[in-house]
């Protein structure tokens, strides 16, 4: 394992690409403007990124349309496209140290988390969808003998992807990999808070033999570059991960423009239910702690509502606080020993602290944390925070905080737990902890969530469709069903009469 000093030294050698990546080359923004990239661990400006706007989106989409029309990507044999994506994954692997450094400096994620979680998941994602390419199958339907009917899956065209900053590379690859695997072209607009790693990924695709123009990237702000992409008449589908509020705007932009398809992966307020009969309280507490404080709580499916049955409530709270005190070490995210980095920005830190203050003013009991951990001067840290005595009407139980803040609510009956869990605008994920198999099935059937975990939290692999019910979204990432969502069916009816 490299030391903090090694990483600090490596950071001084980094060459940061700041341009938009269109047509296989870095370009300045057409208006010549840029925006600052800030390291949230220190407040230092680390780069000035080209600030793409509508004219840049036009150029990126036009480049994608040209690549779509001349079939330079979709026209390749499936095996040839697979090989490009596998080489892309190889290059990501070869550049993992550079990519990890970029991510850590840009968004404050501990370097060991990027190396141990984000990058392995990015590789699995690219390789999984590469492997899927020649597994896409159409159908021959059962018709009268005078006809032959084929159902074919065809790619869509130029797809726009707008992604968030919490797992910058992974959230982008959950979109880009299946979009490309299906034979489409893509224009990616990463989050302005953490654009560095994705900018590099676009180039690595071309370095891997991907035809220029097939994967273009425009950095910039949501209301400028993001909105222009969402309104663009030549973008046939928009795939989005981010907040519910922006997801609703995108549906409007699609209606105002070309009625493009809009796939949304949005916010969450995921409940974890702990029943009196769960078989291992320590294991459950461990996952409750990790489920909210990993990545400093900046996780869409974070377990931010802990519903604990009365019989184990007091012991659960005691062990939760004891475990949390041991589990995290705040510090410089370049230090491999750090397990709690800063939040992505100082603005987000202020927002999370304000939500904590609101929880207190609404009458919840602040049982742990609540302040900005002073691990590094100038860093945007927030302490792991726990509220107890929370009730369903409080903002900490209703609104997404997107930080290391969770609330425990005690309940008596299983019906009460289900009602509390489902009393939310969101429906991304939920968990139930019980040793009773029948009860577990009952909860799975009753919980309104796209993912339900039983006796675990956050587990899964590429075969698990990921996405939400209700205002958590309308689509699924991962799994073959994500790949197929970037295709459209064509019915070919042959008369044999
Ligand atoms: P955000 O909605 O503020 O921004 C997401 C992206 O949308 C960014 O690229 C941003 O520039 C862009 N954007 C903002 N305004 C826009 C506009 N008017 N038009 C077009 N694009 C616009 O979200 P965030 O703060 O970056 O990320 C946190 C949110 O993402 C949380 O709500 C979290 O739950 C959600 N999220 C969901 C999932 C999931 O799979 N469901 C995964 C990760 C994050």
């Amino acid at each position: 394992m490299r030391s903090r000093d090694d990483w600090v030294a490596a950071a001084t050698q980094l060459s940061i690409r700041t341009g938009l990546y269109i047509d296989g080359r870095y370009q300045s923004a057409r208006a010549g403007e840029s925006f600052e990239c800030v390291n949230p661990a220190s407040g230092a400006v680390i780069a000035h990124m080209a600030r793409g706007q509508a004219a840049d989106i036009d150029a990126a989409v036009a480049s994608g349309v040209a690549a779509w029309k001349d079939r330079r990507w979709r026209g390749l044999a499936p095996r040839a496209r697979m090989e490009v994506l596998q080489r892309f994954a190889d290059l990501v692997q070869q550049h993992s140290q550079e990519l990890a450094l970029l991510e850590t400096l840009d968004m404050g994620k501990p370097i060991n988390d990027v190396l141990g979680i984000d990058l392995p998941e990015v590789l699995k994602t690219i390789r999984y969808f590469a492997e899927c390419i020649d597994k896409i199958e159409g159908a021959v339907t059962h018709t009268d003998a005078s006809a032959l009917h084929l159902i074919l899956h065809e790619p869509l065209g130029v797809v726009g992807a707008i992604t968030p900053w919490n797992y910058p590379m992974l959230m982008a690859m959950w979109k880009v990999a299946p979009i490309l695997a299906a034979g489409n072209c893509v224009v990616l607009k990463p989050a302005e808070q953490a654009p560095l790693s994705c900018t590099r990924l676009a180039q690595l695709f071309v370095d891997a033999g991907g035809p220029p123009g097939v994967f273009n990237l425009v950095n910039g702000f949501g209301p400028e570059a993001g909105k222009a992409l969402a309104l663009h008449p030549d973008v046939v589908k928009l795939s989005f991960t981010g907040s519910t509020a922006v997801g609703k705007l995108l549906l409007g932009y699609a209606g105002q423009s070309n009625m493009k398809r809009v796939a949304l992966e949005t916010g969450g307020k995921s409940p974890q239910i702990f029943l009196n009969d769960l078989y291992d309280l320590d294991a459950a507490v461990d996952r409750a702690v990790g489920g909210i404080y990993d990545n400093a709580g900046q996780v869409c499916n974070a377990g931010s509502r802990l519903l604990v049955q009365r019989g184990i409530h007091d012991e659960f709270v005691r062990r939760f606080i004891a475990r949390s005190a041991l589990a995290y070490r705040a510090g410089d995210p370049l230090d491999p020993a750090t397990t709690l980095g800063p939040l992505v920005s100082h603005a987000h830190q202020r927002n999370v602290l304000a939500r904590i203050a609101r929880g207190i003013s609404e009458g919840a009991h602040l049982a742990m944390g609540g302040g900005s951990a002073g691990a590094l001067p100038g860093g945007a840290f927030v302490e792991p925070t726990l509220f107890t005595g929370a009730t369903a009407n409080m903002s900490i139980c209703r609104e997404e905080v997107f930080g290391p803040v969770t609330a425990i609510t005690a309940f008596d009956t299983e019906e009460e737990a289900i009602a509390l869990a489902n009393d939310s605008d969101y429906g991304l994920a939920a968990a139930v902890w019980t040793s009773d198999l029948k009860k577990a099935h009952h909860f799975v059937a009753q919980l309104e969530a796209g993912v339900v975990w039983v006796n675990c939290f956050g587990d899964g692999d590429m075969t698990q469709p990921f996405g939400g019910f209700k205002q958590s979204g309308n689509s699924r990432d991962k799994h073959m069903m994500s790949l197929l969502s970037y295709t459209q069916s064509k019915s070919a009816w042959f008369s044999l009469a």
Side-chain angles (χ1 to χ4, degrees), residues 162-166 171 174 189-193 220-223 226-227 230 240-244 246 249-250 253 265-268 299-300 400 402 428 466 472 477:
I162 300 180
T163 51
W165 46 259
N166 60 335
M171 293 301 97
W174 277 9
K189 207 301 281 173
E192 56 272 34
Q193 295 88 344
F221 294 110
K227 182 174 177 182
F240 172 75
T241 299
S243 63
T244 294
V246 172
L249 289 177
L250 301 182
Y253 300 154
E265 302 289 350
T266 50
V299 182
C300 52
E400 190 177 37
F402 221 58
L428 184 54
F466 190 85
S472 287
D477 285 325

Side-chain angles (χ1 to χ4, degrees), residues 67-104:
W68 171 254
K69 286 197 170 149
D70 69 18
R71 307 178 83 92
R72 71 186 78 157
W73 178 242
R74 65 175 155 145
L76 292 180
R79 283 264 144 200
R81 273 190 281 134
M82 285 169 83
E83 278 162 24
V84 171
L85 286 183
Q86 292 289 11
R87 272 200 303 274
F88 178 37
D90 293 343
L91 286 186
V92 171
Q93 196 159 13
Q94 282 165 28
H95 289 81
S96 58
Q97 304 229 337
E98 174 196 351
L99 291 165
L101 258 181
L102 290 172
E103 205 75 299
T104 293

